Amino acid sequence: MKALVYHGPRQVSVDDVPDARIEKPTDVLVRITSTNICGSDLHMYEGRTDFEQGRIFGHENLGEVVEVGDAVDKIAVGDMVSAPFNVSCGHCENCEHGLTNYCLRANEPGLAGAAYGFADMGPWPGGQAEYLRVPWGDFQCLRLPEDAREKQDDYVMLSDIFPTGWHAVEMSGMKPGESIVIYGGGPVGLMAALSAVTRGAAQVMVVDRHPDRLRLAEQIGAIPIDDSQGSPVDQVMELTKGRGADRGCECVGYQAHDPQGNEDNADTLNKLVSSVRFTGGIGTVGVFVPQDPGGPDELSQQGKARFDFGNFWFKGQQMGTGQAPIKRYNRHLRSLIAADKVKPSWIVSHDLPLDGAPEAYKRFDAREDGWTKVVLHPDQTA
Ligand SMILES: [Zn+2]
Ligand SMILES: [Zn+2]
């Protein structure tokens, strides 16, 4: 089958690789019809992780079931399904408690949590390929309704970024009628904004510096804040009468940098602490890593940050962290899409065949204007 393979920093190509296949009786084999390029793929693409050469990217996957193992009971051939990016077994202690983001059986012993095509998240090949093996298929696959094919650019957001944005808002503790500031207007930040709007925020502010992203934020009723035009903290304070936002979301991650291009992994976290009110809450879903050998200084290389803990403690704020448990939300968010209450595909700028992936990685990585979200369709030819 064809798949997008990583060959080293900023080098990917569509190669012929051995077909994905049923390996265990609980597996489901999916023919991928939609698979996204994610911002977290870029950390790996840039060589800022220990993602192994020869592996396949892709953790935001949707497709049609073409084969099921003997022990698969619920999912059937022909079903259109969304596969959460978290690979999870369904019956370990963490999965039983709904913490499928920290499954104890899908990664090597001692590590919790796994994902398709992801550094340090287990051996699972990614779905930027013609076929994907989904382990524990009955537990993993979320079936999609009749309109799955026509609305796949919406439903494909269920595997990661829509639930991840929702989780960021959830962890912030936001209640209807509150204000929220979101740092990062990339796909996850925009999904957090969509989630906050849907959940009844009185005021949603999105901080970024790319005009295309800020325009998308504005389209759903969020207030765009351009941090290249002045301190975003000052702008948030002005918009909240000097009080600060009730809640905040971190949707950037460890490669955060200021508008001048200086990288500082604590930059968005510290600005959030300053932008959020006393006793407010922060949800951090941007990716941070325990080691970052390519980091700009010794501290960041050790996975540490110059975090303003004093200010954070002084303000009595709360923070939630970590990858999102997709299965906690994807069923209900599917229903919101099916009922036309939300349309997460509004951020999609490009629908491309798999052959277009190497070029798309280059442009998305360069944050080229107009490349806001790429959906690959391995079942289509150029
Ligand atoms: Zn993702
Ligand atoms: Zn588990």
Side-chain angles (χ1 to χ4, degrees):
M1 67 173 184
K2 293 203 180 308
L4 186 88
V5 178
Y6 175 69
H7 294 291
R10 294 191 166 86
Q11 289 176 48
V12 292
S13 56
V14 177
D15 298 353
D16 280 310
V17 303
D19 283 352
R21 56 184 182 83
I22 301 282
E23 295 178 23
K24 289 193 170 181
T26 46
D27 289 350
V28 162
L29 189 68
V30 176
R31 180 194 291 128
I32 298 296
T33 59
S34 288
T35 177
N36 299 332
I37 301 178
C38 178
S40 46
D41 289 327
L42 298 180
H43 301 302
M44 296 179 268
Y45 175 74
E46 292 172 10
R48 287 289 293 271
T49 68
D50 51 12
F51 193 75
E52 300 87 350
Q53 295 186 20
R55 289 190 62 199
I56 305 168
F57 284 144
H59 59 271
E60 303 189 359
N61 303 310
L62 178 154
E64 180 184 349
V65 174
V66 290
E67 194 181 341
V68 298
D70 288 342
V72 172
D73 193 39
K74 181 183 83 175
I75 299 298
V77 170
D79 286 347
M80 291 293 290
V81 296
S82 164
F85 84 83
N86 322 113
V87 180
S88 60
C89 75
H91 45 261
C92 71
E93 183 175 355
N94 283 354
C95 282
E96 278 192 6
H97 290 116
L99 299 168
T100 54
N101 44 345
Y102 294 101
C103 175
L104 297 166
R105 299 190 60 233
N107 204 332
E108 54 190 89
L111 291 177
Y116 301 96
F118 215 105
D120 305 314
M121 298 291 280
W124 313 100
Q128 289 169 13
E130 289 179 287
Y131 295 93
L132 177 71
R133 172 192 168 216
V134 177
W136 300 293
D138 271 336
F139 182 66
Q140 291 278 284
C141 292
L142 177 74
R143 281 182 294 195
L144 300 172
E146 296 286 294
D147 57 2
R149 280 183 188 276
E150 63 203 73
K151 286 184 358 196
Q152 51 182 316
D153 277 10
D154 294 299
Y155 289 120
V156 74
M157 305 307 172
L158 291 172
S159 54
D160 179 1
I161 63 171
F162 190 18
T164 292
W166 193 273
H167 186 58
V169 175
E170 176 75 20
M171 288 198 297
S172 80
M174 194 199 86
K175 299 177 201 63
E178 289 192 322
S179 60
I180 187 164
V181 58
I182 292 154
Y183 276 78
V188 169
L190 291 168
M191 289 297 144
L194 176 67
S195 301
V197 169
T198 306
R199 296 171 68 150
Q203 192 182 30
V204 179
M205 297 161 274
V206 175
V207 179
D208 206 289
R209 63 204 61 147
H210 298 281
D212 51 354
R213 294 171 166 193
L214 293 171
R215 265 197 307 276
L216 290 171
E218 205 168 11
Q219 280 170 15
I220 55 162
I223 302 167
I225 293 181
D226 185 342
D227 69 349
S228 68
Q229 302 297 312
S231 155
V233 176
D234 292 350
Q235 296 182 66
V236 172
M237 284 300 161
E238 204 175 305
L239 286 161
T240 57
K241 301 186 170 67
R243 204 166 150 258
D246 294 309
R247 310 288 160 182
C249 295
E250 205 290 341
C251 301
V252 177
Y254 70 105
Q255 289 183 251
H257 50 279
D258 66 21
Q260 288 70 45
N262 305 305
E263 186 173 323
D264 173 8
N265 57 5
D267 184 63
T268 49
L269 292 171
N270 292 339
K271 285 171 179 162
L272 271 160
V273 170
S274 298
S275 302
V276 171
R277 67 164 160 83
F278 281 74
T279 73
I282 297 167
T284 298
V285 294
V287 171
F288 287 81
V289 289
Q291 294 97 31
D292 176 19
D297 55 42
E298 207 180 320
L299 202 67
S300 63
Q301 286 161 14
Q302 297 169 357
K304 297 174 183 172
R306 289 180 186 79
F307 176 56
D308 287 349
F309 188 74
N311 199 22
F312 178 66
W313 187 94
F314 182 68
K315 294 179 85 169
Q317 294 172 344
Q318 314 275 332
M319 186 185 290
T321 61
Q323 291 190 328
I326 298 305
K327 279 180 65 72
R328 192 179 299 170
Y329 311 107
N330 64 353
R331 195 175 293 271
H332 297 126
L333 299 183
R334 173 194 64 185
S335 300
L336 285 179
I337 293 171
D340 292 320
K341 300 288 184 193
V342 292
K343 195 156 183 50
S345 65
W346 105 101
I347 69 166
V348 173
S349 56
H350 293 79
D351 286 285
L352 299 172
L354 190 62
D355 287 335
E359 180 77 7
Y361 265 91
K362 207 159 80 184
R363 290 168 179 265
F364 187 51
D365 183 54
R367 312 295 192 274
E368 259 184 46
D369 191 57
W371 286 76
T372 50
K373 185 70 174 174
V374 178
V375 186
L376 302 169
H377 301 285
D379 60 332
Q380 295 173 8
T381 45

